Amino acid sequence: MVEYNTVDITLDDDTIVQLRLSTKALIKYHKEHGIEGAPIVASVMGAIDDVEAKAALLEAAMRWPGHHNDTKAIPTGADLMDHMLYAGYCYDQINGVIVQLAQHAGLVSKTEAERLESAALASGTKWVDRLEKLLLGQNPTDSESQQTDGAENPT
């Protein structure tokens, strides 16, 4: 029996869903959800901030050749995300699964995966900061993007 390098998700009923991105699934996902000219890893990481892409990526990862996942009980990536939420997974943990899938697919190294998880967390924090400002009636513009290097504008 062949053992695969998978990302295992335990759901609230103790069901284990094994996720793996095959090369064929990566190519198909990139064609359908990627940015033209961008590398596949950018398409995969783009799923962090795009619910539809995240659901599609999880679905692709559920249906790898040789899987034993119950795709009748959990037929789509959106259903898997719902089950993950029911089981107590939060935003950061689901994004961590995306990063782990990229690592297990050989798209990034372990060190790069750790950096990407940190960056994804920081990105989420910035988004929450902007949303908080908007809800408080303040200007939600990201102040970091307006910072300059101190040089005067010559015009």
Side-chain angles (χ1 to χ4, degrees):
M1 174 184 244
V2 176
E3 287 192 35
Y4 294 97
N5 192 10
T6 60
V7 177
D8 296 346
I9 305 298
T10 303
L11 302 177
D12 55 349
D13 62 355
D14 292 329
T15 297
I16 296 176
V17 178
Q18 294 184 309
L19 303 177
R20 176 179 174 266
L21 287 171
S22 67
T23 302
K24 190 175 185 177
L26 280 169
I27 292 168
K28 181 180 179 193
Y29 174 82
H30 182 61
K31 285 180 181 176
E32 293 174 0
H33 298 279
I35 299 168
E36 191 173 329
I40 290 177
V41 68
S43 298
V44 171
M45 298 316 299
I48 285 177
D49 288 330
D50 182 336
V51 171
E52 288 183 49
K54 190 178 299 186
L57 186 67
L58 290 173
E59 187 167 336
M62 282 181 7
R63 298 175 180 275
W64 49 276
H67 76 83
H68 298 287
N69 296 320
D70 184 355
T71 54
K72 289 183 181 174
I74 306 172
T76 68
D79 291 318
L80 177 58
M81 283 177 52
D82 285 341
H83 282 279
M84 291 172 74
L85 293 167
Y86 302 151
Y89 283 77
C90 67
Y91 175 83
D92 296 336
Q93 291 169 310
I94 295 172
N95 288 341
V97 168
I98 302 297
V99 174
Q100 288 176 33
L101 286 169
Q103 180 188 349
H104 286 251
L107 299 176
V108 296
S109 69
K110 181 177 171 124
T111 302
E112 291 167 332
E114 290 168 357
R115 290 179 60 198
L116 286 169
E117 283 192 66
S118 295
L121 181 59
S123 171
T125 301
K126 288 178 184 175
W127 180 85
V128 169
D129 291 344
R130 289 191 300 268
L131 180 59
E132 181 181 44
K133 286 179 182 179
L134 180 65
L135 293 172
L136 293 172
Q138 300 170 358
N139 184 349
T141 305
D142 185 6
S143 61
E144 290 177 10
S145 66
Q146 294 179 357
Q147 292 178 352
T148 62
D149 61 4
E152 290 186 31
N153 187 348
T155 57

